[in-house]
Amino acid sequence: MEQFRNIGVIGREGNGVVETLNRLLTLLESRQLTVVLDDSVSALLPDHGLRVSPRRMMGETCDLIIVVGGDGSLLGAARSLTRHNAPVLGVNRGRLGFLTDISPGEIETQVGAVLDGEYVLEKRFLLDVEVLRGGERIGRGDALNDVVLNSGTSGHMMEFELYVDGEFVYRQRSDGLIVCTPTGSTAYSLSAGGPIMHPRLDAIAIVPMFPHTLSSRPIVIGGNSEVKMVVCDSNVVNPPVTCDGQVKITTQPGDIIYVRKKPHKLRLVHPIDHSFYASCRDKLGWGAHLPLEDSDD
């Protein structure tokens, strides 16, 4: 296992974040580790006396990045850090926390164990999206969870064509389409009726959003597939494309959207006892409301 000596800390303002950051920094400094803060954490902790680095540069100097916040914080960090191959560990200050799976009360034990080399490492792939207009690229982005094309207006359907690996799949009227990774299958896609995919799967899910045709259902394709969406000329709206709900590209009728797997993967660090199925039981409440069986006594 890798031994981590240079630790980057990323976070953003939120309920209890400063308290958790102080607790984390106390642990790291007690172990005489080199700590580098990103700009947003530095602003939350005046007079900290530690090194500060722009987030996009932290992967070059740090051998472990710890993100304090919710899954949204980790999603943003992942997109900027993946190309540096720096492993990322999440401390949850959000709600569900599928990606940030260490609770603030477990920092000393769980983060301490990771620093001692007791952890598991998962690789998660991201999606790359580019939007072409008249053959010229007018926008691009990447996503750890999902790429979403939607009408951009409440109660107004849009029309688009879908192709996979150059083969026509269908022309659809709906609120839009979600293209998600296994990581994103427990996020927005799940709310739209998409399948839950194990993180180790090399697959992409395509999930329609309220399609006008009731027979239209989610499709799971190979992870190396190329997804193409064409915004039909019949649209009277300019549909946005979003990446993890954080990056937005506005399209026009006639634009073409390509979605492909990125070559670089996120290296996600988990505590040694991490279980995807246990996370599902905990976060999604699987079996939480089952009645107890009657005793035969």
Side-chain angles (χ1 to χ4, degrees), residues 11-196:
R12 63 182 180 187
E13 188 173 1
N15 183 35
V17 168
V18 171
E19 177 186 350
T20 301
L21 286 169
N22 282 321
R23 190 168 175 174
L24 174 62
L25 294 180
T26 297
L27 171 66
L28 298 178
E29 291 174 342
S30 72
R31 290 174 169 251
Q32 300 181 323
L33 300 172
T34 300
V35 179
V36 181
L37 308 182
D38 84 329
D39 297 325
S40 57
V41 170
S42 177
L44 295 175
L45 302 172
D47 304 319
H48 54 73
L50 299 170
R51 288 176 53 191
V52 179
S53 169
R55 180 177 299 186
R56 66 181 184 278
M57 303 297 294
M58 294 183 76
E60 297 181 3
T61 57
C62 300
D63 45 35
L64 175 67
I65 309 293
I66 300 178
V67 179
V68 178
D71 283 353
S73 298
L74 197 143
L75 290 171
R79 292 196 304 273
S80 60
L81 295 170
T82 303
R83 63 190 179 94
H84 297 296
N85 206 33
V88 178
L89 174 68
V91 176
N92 186 28
R93 288 297 336 189
R95 292 186 291 273
L96 282 180
F98 266 100
L99 298 173
T100 51
D101 48 15
I102 293 179
S103 69
E106 298 174 322
I107 283 179
E108 288 80 9
T109 56
Q110 297 278 43
V111 176
V114 169
L115 296 173
D116 289 334
E118 298 176 14
Y119 61 88
V120 292
L121 191 63
E122 271 189 341
K123 292 186 178 181
R124 306 284 187 94
F125 73 83
L126 287 80
L127 298 173
D128 183 88
V129 59
E130 63 174 350
V131 179
L132 303 183
R133 181 174 301 156
E136 299 292 330
R137 188 169 75 179
I138 58 102
R140 69 154 307 276
D142 39 36
L144 177 60
N145 268 356
D146 48 48
V147 175
V148 180
L149 171 69
N150 68 86
S151 66
T153 59
S154 177
H156 198 296
M157 285 189 171
M158 64 166 296
E159 191 167 7
F160 60 90
E161 291 181 351
L162 172 67
Y163 298 80
V164 174
D165 292 329
E167 184 175 351
F168 178 69
V169 179
Y170 52 58
R171 186 181 181 111
Q172 183 180 98
R173 280 181 55 80
S174 66
D175 283 3
L177 196 71
I178 302 170
V179 182
C180 82
T181 65
T183 301
S185 70
T186 52
Y188 189 29
S189 169
L190 183 62
S191 299
I196 294 177

